[in-house]
Each structure stands twice: as structure tokens, then as C-alpha cells.
Amino acid sequence: MKIGTYEIQVPFVTTSSDKLKTLKKLSELAPSPTAVDLGSGDGRVALELAKWGFDTTGYEIKKDLVERSKIRALEMGIEDKVFFFEKDFWNENLSSFSLIYIYGMNSIMGRLEKKLETEMKSDAILITNIFKLPHWKVKKTENNFYLYYKQ
Ligand SMILES: C[S@@+](CC[C@H](N)C(=O)[O-])C[C@H]1O[C@@H](n2cnc3c(N)ncnc32)[C@H](O)[C@@H]1O
């Protein structure tokens, strides 16, 4: 499906709220507090990361979801900790982030793995929800999250 020039490969489904406690625990393994959510949806994960102390970026291709996320950040008074951009994350460089989060789909995980091989910081962590990378070894699994170090 196409929105403007964007090819949508991953639909909007949220990370369930009962999993956020696990995510918080895993996020503590990040070497420093800078995070990105690739496809930030309605912002719920990025907003949580910001509440937990991360300087957070959310890339999202759907304009209405970006707007909703920005409003929520203002309502929560954390607009200086979390920034939402209407952008295709495939075009963004990920080398400044210590925690990379994605709730994607099987069909994109191979492409993501290749992108991370060149862009992910050597000490950063990747957390995926439900879907695994095809070749990288999982370091930790909890509640259907997979945590990886760079390989
Ligand atoms: C499964 S949802 C996850 C939403 C949020 N991360 C969460 O866990 O609640 C995936 C989101 O990625 C967005 N998306 C898909 N492809 C994208 C791309 N190339 N760049 C930015 N956002 C994208 C979709 O619009 C959707 O909102």
C-alpha cells in the first residue's frame, strides 16, 4: 500500500501495554539514554522511553499518528525529551542511537539487519517486538521481545 511516496510494509498495531514493564527492564541494558522507535505509531513506546529518561526519536510515516504523538508529548509535558518526525526510517541514519526499537514484520527484518550492520553503534542494543532478525543471534528473549547486540 502507498501513502504519497511511502510504501507501507508494516501496518499500525501497538505494542501492548502489558509488555511495557518488560521493555523498561530490557531498556536498562542500553549503554546510554538515546533511543529511537522505527515506526513509532501513536507514540506509546517512544513516550514511555522518554518517561524512563531516554532522549527519544520516533520515525513514523503516517502523518496523523505523528501529530497524535506530538500532542500526547505536549500533554505529558515531555516534549523536550521526545521528538516525532514524519519520516521513512529506511532513509534515516541510526548511528547516534544507543537503543533501537522496532515492532515490524517478518518481511522487513532481513533488510533491517543489513541496515544495522552498517549503521548500528558498536555498543548499542536492538529490541524487536515479536519478529526476529534472520541471522543475528538473540542475546535475550523475554515476553516476545528479542534483544540483540551488534553482530
Ligand atoms: C506495528 S506498528 C508499531 C507502532 C509502535 N512502534 C508500537 O510498538 O506501538 C508499525 C508502525 O510503523 C510505521 N511504519 C511502517 N513502515 C515505516 C517506515 N518505513 N518508516 C516509518 N514508519 C513506518 C507504520 O505506519 C506503523 O505505525
Side-chain angles (χ1 to χ4, degrees):
M1 176 176 119
K2 266 197 158 186
I3 294 191
T5 55
Y6 299 126
E7 185 71 41
I8 305 274
Q9 295 163 314
V10 185
F12 172 53
V13 192
T14 58
T15 298
S16 59
S17 42
D18 58 304
K19 292 181 73 171
L20 293 174
K21 216 169 134 187
T22 310
L23 187 58
K24 183 170 194 291
K25 200 174 96 185
L26 294 174
S27 76
E28 286 161 11
L29 296 169
S32 69
T34 50
V36 63
D37 184 1
L38 305 178
S40 48
D42 64 359
R44 71 171 59 193
V45 170
L47 291 161
E48 287 299 312
L49 285 161
K51 276 202 320 194
W52 303 334
F54 285 84
D55 291 313
T56 307
T57 297
Y59 294 127
E60 170 56 52
I61 35 180
K62 291 185 181 154
K63 192 186 178 75
D64 58 321
L65 293 175
V66 174
E67 280 164 7
R68 213 197 295 176
S69 303
K70 284 182 177 173
I71 290 168
R72 196 72 193 108
L74 280 169
E75 285 170 351
M76 291 167 73
I78 53 171
E79 69 280 6
D80 57 337
K81 289 292 289 177
V82 57
F83 298 92
F84 294 99
F85 300 96
E86 187 196 340
K87 284 188 170 175
D88 182 337
F89 64 72
W90 294 117
N91 299 331
E92 300 307 307
N93 187 289
L94 306 176
S95 60
S96 64
F97 302 106
S98 289
L99 186 161
I100 299 170
Y101 178 78
I102 187 163
Y103 179 7
M105 264 181 98
N106 258 339
S107 57
I108 66 159
M109 299 312 268
R111 184 177 172 192
L112 179 66
E113 193 176 78
K114 288 203 174 73
K115 183 172 171 63
L116 295 173
E117 273 159 14
T118 54
E119 292 180 15
M120 188 169 160
K121 267 206 297 199
S122 56
D123 61 348
I125 60 168
L126 167 75
I127 301 174
T128 70
N129 185 24
I130 301 174
F131 302 104
K132 289 195 221 173
L133 296 180
H135 305 105
W136 285 19
K137 239 178 140 177
V138 177
K139 186 74 191 168
K140 215 172 167 53
T141 307
E142 206 168 328
N143 214 355
N144 274 329
F145 287 118
Y146 300 99
L147 184 137
Y148 298 86
Y149 291 112
K150 190 170 185 182
Q151 286 157 53

